Amino acid sequence: MKNFNVKNLSGMIDQMIQWVKSDNGVVTLLVAIATVALWLALGGDGDMIYASAAVVAGTAGGNHVTDGPLTTSMTEEIAPGLLRNEIDNRIVKIRPMATPVDQITRCSGSRAAGSMVVDYYSVDTKKVETKLKKASTGSTSDTPLTLTVEDKNMFEASETVLVPGVKASSGGELVLYVVGRTQANTVNVISVNNFDEDMVPVIPALEADQVLVRMGRAAAELDVQTTSFEAVPTKAQNFCQIFKAQIEQSTLMKLANKEVGWTFNDQEEVAIYDMRLGMEKNFLFGHKASVKDPNKGEVYLTGGIWQQAGRDHELKYEFTEQDLIGMCYAAFTKNSGSSRKILIAGSELVEAINKTPFSRLVNSQDRVTKWGIDFHEIVSKFGSLYVLPSEIFDQCGHGRHGLIVDPEYVVKYSHIPFKTEKLDLRTSGQRNTDAIVITEASCMVLRYPDAHVRVKWRTEEEELAQLASQEEGA
């Protein structure tokens, strides 16, 4: 088989003519024509022509290399996608239990970011409850009663309001109708379902801090319009952080005999694991900032989701099953989130939860495997919590704390997706080593902050201080 040593079509044709003249063979001509056809089909830019190697077409359309070695660059050219990068597949298999937040976002997929600075918007729902700011003496009249509330802006004219815990004469709990609101923190209401013997509307006396729950609107027959309602998303920002890891091995180290099979790939796996642990700490507890390195210039640091969570919940020092029910109530209500959430917690908090006896109200189920991670499931009437202990929480001083996250609203942005690059330090005259560098530039955000809850378990000292404060207030 002849070898092509040319880089353009005219040179190839000239060489083919010389072959035919010298060999005077029809077979040589047919092979040459087939090679030219393949070259043209693949773009005709000369890159398929390799010195000391020829690519010829097979009988069924395949490609064959003769008179030369099959190289990786040639393989990528004639069979794109045949060679696979193992890192991207292997990274989700490297100890996923140790880096649950990073693992979940890798399995669910990340969003591409065109910049190191990520701006994102989130929108929540309108408030559904407020409290009375001042006690009300009530009224027995058709005239609207003025109530002073903590947030009068959540109420609009024609809305109905439920007063939990206050009984009405017609059964059920007291319902009020909002006639209007004033410039001060007051709303004017009338009774809907509470009357005296003469069927005069009655609003009983209400204590300060009485909860008021906003319900639906009630329009009149001739109403065509109502108070308009719009929602404006809130803008937030995070920085992508460039994470890197580099692995090197000298040529002599590679050639040396070893008692165990310790290869470059083994070193690579350890480096990836260490890199993911560092990323997990930044994704959880990092602080968004931009710092000036005197030797390198500006460096972006990503902000963690611990600070992004919208709500807090505290557990008493000696908490019971009822307190765990309260934690589930806080996790699954007033935020319109998912019915299944994840509690990532320090070992002390997980140990205390495991020691808590469960009844039929709350069930501790068997292991559940999601995203390649084994969780213990706590099932309550509000929803299910996937519980996982995290050494990252212990290492960062949060052994008594946990973070309830809604996986539907955890988003990872990648400016530079996870990738590996080979460093040619030998050719550049730096070191006689094999080296690769692993890089990812990414950040993590909570798109709906109120769907995520920080859980803090009080110490005995904090519990005593809390009780003392309550006694002083009383």
Side-chain angles (χ1 to χ4, degrees):
M1 183 65 202
K2 300 294 185 180
N3 299 326
F4 285 124
N5 295 292
V6 295
K7 285 292 183 180
N8 54 64
L9 182 59
S10 60
M12 179 186 294
I13 294 174
D14 291 339
Q15 193 170 78
M16 286 167 49
I17 293 173
Q18 295 299 321
W19 288 354
V20 174
K21 288 181 179 179
S22 62
D23 293 349
N24 193 23
V26 178
V27 176
T28 300
L29 177 61
L30 292 177
V31 173
I33 292 174
T35 305
V36 172
L38 175 63
W39 180 74
L40 291 174
L42 294 173
D45 59 359
D47 290 340
M48 281 297 299
I49 313 303
Y50 298 92
S52 303
V55 180
V56 296
T59 57
N63 299 319
H64 302 267
V65 178
T66 61
D67 291 347
L70 178 63
T71 63
T72 55
S73 59
M74 184 185 298
T75 302
E76 285 291 343
E77 190 71 29
I78 64 178
L82 178 62
L83 302 180
R84 301 178 61 186
N85 188 346
E86 293 186 14
I87 295 297
D88 290 339
N89 293 326
R90 180 154 39 102
I91 187 172
V92 297
K93 302 175 185 177
I94 297 178
R95 308 176 196 180
M97 299 284 290
T99 54
V101 176
D102 183 45
Q103 175 73 11
I104 291 168
T105 55
R106 288 190 188 280
C107 291
S108 59
S110 60
R111 299 186 182 184
S115 170
M116 288 289 289
V117 181
V118 175
D119 291 333
Y120 61 98
Y121 288 84
S122 60
V123 61
D124 55 9
T125 57
K126 189 177 179 181
K127 290 178 63 176
V128 297
E129 69 176 43
T130 188
K131 294 181 180 181
L132 279 181
K133 197 171 183 179
K134 296 180 180 179
S136 170
T137 57
S139 71
T140 305
S141 171
D142 293 329
T143 304
L145 174 68
T146 300
L147 298 178
T148 303
V149 296
E150 292 181 351
D151 185 3
K152 56 106 177 178
N153 292 322
M154 63 175 283
F155 296 112
E156 299 287 351
S158 79
E159 286 184 332
T160 52
V161 179
L162 178 70
V163 186
V166 179
K167 301 299 181 181
S169 60
S170 58
E173 295 177 312
L174 178 64
V175 177
L176 306 175
Y177 176 84
V178 179
V179 178
R181 67 186 188 192
T182 63
Q183 295 298 322
N185 285 335
T186 60
V187 291
N188 298 324
V189 297
I190 57 176
S191 174
V192 172
N193 61 343
N194 194 51
F195 306 93
D196 63 10
E197 296 178 353
D198 298 325
M199 296 305 295
V200 176
V202 175
I203 299 178
L206 300 174
E207 300 291 335
D209 293 330
Q210 169 65 51
V211 175
L212 304 177
V213 179
R214 180 175 61 87
M215 299 197 296
R217 299 176 186 268
E221 179 181 356
L222 300 180
D223 283 345
V224 176
Q225 301 184 51
T226 187
T227 306
S228 62
F229 172 76
E230 295 81 26
V232 179
T234 303
K235 184 177 181 179
Q237 185 183 83
N238 203 353
F239 293 156
C240 288
Q241 183 170 327
I242 301 176
F243 302 95
K244 281 185 175 291
Q246 185 168 326
I247 306 99
E248 285 190 59
Q249 178 179 257
S250 71
T251 302
L252 291 180
M253 175 63 182
K254 180 173 64 174
L255 298 175
N257 292 328
K258 305 172 184 67
E259 290 190 355
V260 294
W262 185 253
T263 66
F264 191 81
N265 286 340
D266 295 317
Q267 298 184 54
E268 186 180 18
E269 181 174 330
V270 174
I272 292 173
Y273 176 58
D274 182 73
M275 178 180 175
R276 291 190 70 186
L277 284 176
M279 294 171 67
E280 184 84 356
K281 293 170 187 174
N282 282 103
F283 288 152
L284 281 169
F285 303 111
H287 180 77
K288 182 177 86 71
S290 173
V291 299
K292 293 289 185 180
D293 187 310
N295 299 317
K296 302 177 182 179
E298 189 174 29
V299 178
Y300 284 116
L301 305 176
T302 192
I305 61 175
W306 173 263
Q307 296 297 333
Q308 298 177 32
R311 295 186 297 143
D312 291 280
H313 182 78
E314 284 194 351
L315 288 171
K316 296 188 299 184
Y317 173 64
E318 294 182 350
F319 63 84
T320 64
E321 181 189 29
Q322 296 300 319
D323 297 304
L324 291 182
I325 294 175
M327 181 181 71
C328 292
Y329 171 82
F332 293 102
T333 61
K334 303 179 183 179
N335 56 66
S336 302
S338 306
S339 61
R340 296 180 182 272
K341 297 186 179 183
I342 302 168
L343 171 59
I344 305 171
S347 59
E348 294 179 63
L349 177 56
V350 174
E351 180 186 19
I353 292 176
N354 286 336
K355 290 180 178 178
T356 304
F358 292 92
S359 68
R360 61 184 180 85
L361 298 177
V362 177
N363 297 317
S364 180
Q365 302 291 345
D366 295 333
R367 287 179 178 268
V368 176
T369 301
K370 298 279 187 180
W371 307 285
I373 305 173
D374 293 330
F375 299 93
H376 278 290
E377 185 178 15
I378 294 179
V379 181
S380 72
K381 297 298 187 290
F382 298 103
S384 297
L385 275 180
Y386 296 146
V387 182
L388 180 71
S390 171
E391 292 184 1
I392 300 296
F393 272 73
D394 296 343
Q395 294 169 7
C396 296
H398 291 272
R400 301 177 65 86
H401 300 158
L403 181 64
I404 298 176
V405 296
D406 190 333
E408 295 293 329
Y409 298 105
V410 181
V411 181
K412 182 178 181 180
Y413 288 93
S414 294
H415 183 53
I416 301 175
F418 193 96
K419 66 176 184 178
T420 62
E421 294 177 291
K422 186 176 181 180
L423 300 180
D424 193 355
L425 302 180
R426 188 179 298 107
T427 303
S428 61
Q430 298 181 59
R431 286 184 296 277
N432 186 21
T433 61
D434 295 330
I436 64 169
V437 62
I438 306 169
T439 305
E440 178 177 306
S442 58
C443 66
M444 203 167 291
V445 301
L446 302 182
R447 294 299 300 268
Y448 188 5
D450 282 350
H452 315 271
V453 183
R454 285 181 293 268
V455 178
K456 300 179 180 180
W457 177 32
R458 299 175 192 162
T459 63
E460 186 174 10
E461 293 76 13
E462 291 172 337
E463 182 78 9
L464 294 174
Q466 180 79 7
L467 293 174
S469 177
Q470 293 175 354
E471 291 177 357
E472 290 178 3

